[in-house]
């Protein structure tokens, strides 16, 4: 049976889940498929193109079943809903955030569509195209960074006093971070707090009225 592009991408995603992003190489992919690396180049010219295809598959698979809030419900609801669903999409795969964050928009068309739709929603709320793009990229950058850390970092045990970083004063960063940890928020709650802060910042920066 001839090698198919879909087969290549699905195998690459399986390797990602099993071995992490560093394990996804064209050589290993060819070995898993039982073909020579040259056979892959008919479909995937290089690893960058493979990452783009993987990013698109991750996002398309998630957003195909997502019904985001109607854009008419308000720009803030759209921005918050889109960002939360983007996080869930990236969490669906091991190191999914690293894959999606590095995607080129020409192949990762689902990400492109999300960005275009978000800019359009913000434009209808009264922002200029440039300001809408700034707000969109600020939120996406936060989402990418948060989930990369969420997927890469160990539990917050590094904040413990017995980890060799005892607080030197009540105002030290160690004490501040421990108090932050003691709030008991899980990753999703911390993420949603960050989303709300950015939405509040967008509203203040561009003098937007409260969302209905």
């Amino acid at each position: 049976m001839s090698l198919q592009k879909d087969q290549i991408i699905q195998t690459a995603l399986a390797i990602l889940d099993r071995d992490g992003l560093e394990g996804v190489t064209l050589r290993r992919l060819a070995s898993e498929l039982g073909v020579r690396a040259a056979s892959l180049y008919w479909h995937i010219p290089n690893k960058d193109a493979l990452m783009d295809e993987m990013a698109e598959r991750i996002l398309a698979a998630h957003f195909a079943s997502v019904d985001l809030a109607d854009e008419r419900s308000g720009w803030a609801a759209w921005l918050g809903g889109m960002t939360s669903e983007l996080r869930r999409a990236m969490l669906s795969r091991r190191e999914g955030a690293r894959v999606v964050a590095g995607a080129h928009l020409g192949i990762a068309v689902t990400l492109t569509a999300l960005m275009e739709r978000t800019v359009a929603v913000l434009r209808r709320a009264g922002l200029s195209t440039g300001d809408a793009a700034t707000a969109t990229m600020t939120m996406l950058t936060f989402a990418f960074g948060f989930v990369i850390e969420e997927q890469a970092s160990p539990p917050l045990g590094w904040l413990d006093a017995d980890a060799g970083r005892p607080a030197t004063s009540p105002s030290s960063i160690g004490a501040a971070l421990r108090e932050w940890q003691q709030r008991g928020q899980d990753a999703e709650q911390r993420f949603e707090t960050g989303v709300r802060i950015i939405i509040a910042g967008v509203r203040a920066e561009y003098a937007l009225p409260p969302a209905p």
Side-chain angles (χ1 to χ4, degrees), residues 20 30 45 57 64 94 98 107 125 130-131 142 149 175 185 188 202 209-210:
R57 187 62 56 88
R94 179 177 175 179
R98 288 182 64 193
I107 297 178
D131 289 343
F142 165 72
E149 287 294 322
Q185 289 186 325
E188 184 165 359
V202 170

Side-chain angles (χ1 to χ4, degrees), residues 35-49:
V35 300
R36 294 184 177 183
S39 300
L40 301 179
Y41 299 145
W42 287 100
H43 305 283
I44 307 290
N46 51 52
K47 186 171 180 179
D48 285 345

Side-chain angles (χ1 to χ4, degrees), residues 160-180:
D160 295 341
D162 60 3
R165 299 180 180 86
T168 57
S169 72
S171 62
S172 72
I173 187 61
L177 290 175
R178 278 189 290 277
E179 182 175 338
W180 170 74

Side-chain angles (χ1 to χ4, degrees), residues 64-89:
S65 61
V66 170
D67 182 18
L68 289 172
D70 192 303
E71 295 173 18
R72 291 172 295 181
S73 66
W75 65 270
W78 166 264
L79 192 59
M82 180 276 296
T83 310
S84 294
E85 292 299 340
L86 178 61
R87 172 177 173 265
R88 293 187 182 100

Side-chain angles (χ1 to χ4, degrees), residues 47-174:
K47 186 171 180 179
D48 285 345
L50 177 63
M51 294 296 108
D52 290 343
E53 295 284 359
M54 291 167 63
E56 171 56 19
R57 187 62 56 88
I58 290 169
L59 295 178
H62 180 80
F63 280 95
S65 61
V66 170
D67 182 18
L68 289 172
D70 192 303
E71 295 173 18
R72 291 172 295 181
S73 66
W75 65 270
W78 166 264
L79 192 59
M82 180 276 296
T83 310
S84 294
E85 292 299 340
L86 178 61
R87 172 177 173 265
R88 293 187 182 100
M90 293 188 291
L91 286 175
S92 70
R93 293 286 185 174
R94 179 177 175 179
E95 295 188 80
R98 288 182 64 193
V99 175
V100 173
H104 297 88
L105 301 183
I107 297 178
V109 294
T110 300
L111 181 58
T112 305
L114 287 173
M115 293 171 65
E116 289 177 340
R117 202 166 164 195
T118 304
V119 168
V121 169
L122 292 170
R123 288 278 290 119
R124 284 195 289 276
L127 272 65
S128 69
T129 300
D131 289 343
T134 297
T136 299
M137 292 308 301
T138 298
M139 189 65 92
L140 289 178
T141 301
F142 165 72
F144 293 154
F146 186 100
V147 183
I148 287 172
E149 287 294 322
E150 184 178 5
Q151 293 186 311
S153 297
L156 297 180
W158 58 271
L159 297 178
D160 295 341
D162 60 3
R165 299 180 180 86
T168 57
S169 72
S171 62
S172 72
I173 187 61

